[in-house]
Amino acid sequence: MTLTKRDLVVRISEKTGLVQTQVFDLVQKTLDHISDALAKGDNVELRNFGVFDVRIAKTRTGRDPHKPEIDVQIPARAIVNFRAGKEMRNQVLKLTPNGTEKTL
């Protein structure tokens, strides 16, 4: 199952009693501020959730799947990285089959 922005708005609206349009505006503004901060190269730290940061991926050589004999240079580029917070990581680890936890 996938949690969409719409699902998030509906759930928050039901819990708080706020109108969905108000919740949608709030969620959208939050996401806009996170995006703006990342676009400036700033880190975004949400306690107990995780940290978003921008990293530069190195230049690398790739292969064209239609012509594997040809090497393609993939240029360096900025990417968004996410590191889960301790509480989220512990909740997700509960999904590990057979109760075996993989150490990170």
Side-chain angles (χ1 to χ4, degrees):
M1 182 177 166
T2 301
L3 178 69
T4 64
K5 188 183 343 179
R6 176 86 179 120
D7 297 334
L8 194 58
V9 167
V10 170
R11 288 181 187 184
I12 293 171
S13 178
E14 288 173 353
K15 290 268 186 180
T16 62
L18 294 172
V19 180
Q20 287 185 15
T21 55
Q22 291 174 317
V23 175
F24 179 83
D25 290 341
L26 182 64
V27 169
Q28 188 59 53
K29 285 186 189 327
T30 302
L31 296 174
D32 290 345
H33 284 293
I34 291 171
S35 296
D36 291 345
L38 292 169
K40 288 190 259 179
D42 297 337
N43 291 347
V44 176
E45 182 177 334
L46 305 171
R47 296 283 174 168
N48 300 321
F49 183 74
V51 177
F52 295 92
D53 59 2
V54 177
R55 294 193 177 163
I56 303 299
K58 296 178 184 177
T59 301
R60 59 192 173 96
T61 303
R63 302 246 189 275
D64 180 346
H66 300 291
K67 299 178 185 174
E69 64 279 356
I70 299 174
D71 290 343
V72 177
Q73 283 294 57
I74 301 170
R77 61 189 176 120
I79 58 171
V80 175
N81 184 55
F82 176 74
R83 290 173 294 162
K86 185 177 180 180
E87 287 183 18
M88 180 193 297
R89 189 170 43 247
N90 289 337
Q91 286 181 334
V92 172
L93 277 173
K94 293 176 185 175
L95 296 174
T96 306
N98 301 327
T100 58
E101 293 183 8
K102 185 177 180 181
T103 56
L104 302 174

